[in-house]
Amino acid sequence: MAEAATAATRPEPVALSAAVNIVTVPAVPGAAFVFDGRLVTTDKQGIAHIIVPAGTHGHTLTVKTTHTQRAGGDYSFARWWRTGNHTQDYERTLTGLRVRKNLTIKAAYRASFTVRYGFADPAKRPVPRSRVATVEFRGDNGQTVTATGGGTVRLLGIRPVNSSGTLVAKEIKYTVQRVQVDGSNVVRVNQQPFVPSQRQTVTISLLLLGAHFRTRDFLFGSPVGTTVVLTYPDRSTKRFPLDALGEADVAGLARGNYTVSVEAPGIAFTRPVALSRNQYVDLPVVTYRDLGVVGGMAVLVLGSLMALKRVRVRSRRRAVTATS
């Protein structure tokens, strides 16, 4: 009985050693750390294992690889994550680490990627970057990044987030918010998603449209004029020559509000065009010939009225003479 009581109260054996696991989030192979003056690097899975004596001795862990490049991205150290005290999470060095049993410490990194982008119209034909003033990308982390039409942008692609009490690497998804061409936005908002950590080359589809302009003599319907004058949404103006049929096709127009007129002898009306789809636009022109015809008809009508008036006056005089 005494031996049984002694066995029941005998303390459990104390572990002589423990493991410290350094886990990079996301996995960063070859990342270097210094543990109590000893250099250690992570394996292909982004993990480093260190065996230390178990106990209350205060250990020190320092991140040596604060910045590295891999898989098309730039990875920068962001913070630590471990059970217990979090006062040193954003320092480069953790001090006073107690390793009584196996301990896992996460080293979190942010990753940025250079994304190269181009543009295409609805028919998949390339659109010159020079036509694009600005491009706006929005990430699902709430960040908005504005770039030019130059074709490259730096985007945060991976960030550490707290999920269910632990730290995980979250890929950021972006959508194209705006592409400014000739003063108009030529994309649908929140369409065309992409994830920079998975894809660093993006082709952005632009809502570019076509317009077919046709000029006609107002009275006779024959082709007239030499040039169509188009004022764009950004108030810039361009001229497009008319062919022998008095027609001109203009492609690659940003959706938006335009004004258009014709350079022709006579009176050419300026009219608004709200371009939201491919359109045919008729442009009547009152030519000098039209004015001559209208003027001649007006003279003829006026002469007829005056002649009729004279006839009526004579008739009244005859009637008065006959009754007197």
Side-chain angles (χ1 to χ4, degrees), residues 70-85:
R70 60 176 299 271
D74 288 334
Y75 289 72
S76 299
F77 176 76
R79 60 169 298 172
W80 303 100
W81 182 271
R82 61 193 173 100
T83 303
N85 191 347

Side-chain angles (χ1 to χ4, degrees), residues 2-318:
E3 290 181 359
T6 301
T9 59
R10 184 180 300 153
E12 295 181 0
V14 178
L16 298 179
S17 62
V20 176
N21 302 307
I22 304 171
V23 180
T24 54
V25 178
V28 182
F33 299 86
V34 177
F35 187 87
D36 289 346
R38 172 188 170 190
L39 180 66
V40 295
T41 57
T42 56
D43 58 19
K44 293 181 180 179
Q45 285 72 44
I47 301 173
H49 303 279
I50 307 166
I51 304 299
V52 300
T56 60
H57 175 70
H59 299 276
T60 299
L61 175 62
T62 300
V63 57
K64 187 174 179 65
T65 301
T66 57
H67 181 85
T68 186
Q69 293 182 333
R70 60 176 299 271
D74 288 334
Y75 289 72
S76 299
F77 176 76
R79 60 169 298 172
W80 303 100
W81 182 271
R82 61 193 173 100
T83 303
N85 191 347
H86 293 283
T87 58
Q88 301 177 8
D89 282 356
Y90 295 94
E91 304 291 336
R92 287 187 57 184
T93 300
L94 296 175
T95 60
L97 296 173
R98 303 289 191 266
V99 188
R100 296 183 178 88
K101 56 181 180 179
N102 294 344
L103 174 65
T104 296
I105 301 174
K106 291 185 176 182
Y109 287 78
R110 290 189 182 91
S112 297
F113 298 84
T114 297
V115 176
R116 292 172 173 80
Y117 54 90
F119 308 98
D121 66 12
K124 310 300 182 183
R125 294 171 298 204
V127 175
R129 293 190 179 98
S130 58
R131 291 201 61 194
V132 176
T134 58
V135 185
E136 187 177 289
F137 304 96
R138 183 171 179 82
D140 59 9
N141 62 336
Q143 181 186 28
T144 299
V145 178
T146 301
T148 68
T152 59
V153 65
R154 195 76 173 166
L155 297 176
L156 180 64
I158 302 175
R159 66 187 181 104
V161 297
N162 186 344
S163 176
S164 301
T166 188
L167 207 64
V168 297
K170 185 180 186 304
E171 292 181 311
I172 301 173
K173 181 176 71 174
Y174 287 82
T175 55
V176 182
Q177 291 285 101
R178 296 182 63 84
V179 176
Q180 198 81 359
V181 173
D182 299 332
S184 288
N185 180 26
V186 292
V187 295
R188 294 187 177 90
V189 177
N190 289 330
Q191 300 294 312
Q192 305 188 59
F194 65 96
V195 179
S197 57
Q198 300 177 13
R199 182 159 60 111
Q200 288 93 52
T201 301
V202 178
T203 299
I204 301 172
S205 181
L206 305 183
L207 297 173
L208 298 180
L209 307 169
H212 180 85
F213 298 100
R214 186 181 69 165
T215 65
R216 288 293 180 266
D217 184 291
F218 185 76
L219 289 181
F220 300 98
S222 57
V224 64
T226 59
T227 307
V228 168
V229 181
L230 194 61
T231 301
Y232 285 68
D234 63 358
R235 313 315 303 167
S236 64
T237 300
K238 292 183 180 180
R239 288 169 166 78
F240 300 93
L242 294 165
D243 61 18
L245 299 177
E247 300 181 3
D249 283 309
V250 183
L253 295 174
R255 62 177 182 177
N257 296 320
Y258 295 76
T259 58
V260 60
S261 62
V262 181
E263 290 183 343
I267 301 175
F269 301 99
T270 298
R271 58 165 293 184
V273 176
L275 199 64
S276 59
R277 54 183 173 80
N278 295 332
Q279 285 184 234
Y280 286 84
V281 182
D282 283 319
L283 302 170
V285 177
V286 178
T287 64
Y288 292 131
R289 183 172 62 166
D290 295 336
L291 293 174
V293 170
V294 172
M297 293 179 62
V299 170
L300 180 61
V301 171
L302 181 59
S304 300
L305 291 174
M306 292 180 65
L308 180 61
K309 183 177 180 181
R310 285 195 295 267
V311 170
R312 288 178 176 175
V313 170
R314 290 172 183 169
S315 297
R316 288 174 186 171
R317 287 177 181 174
R318 291 193 188 105

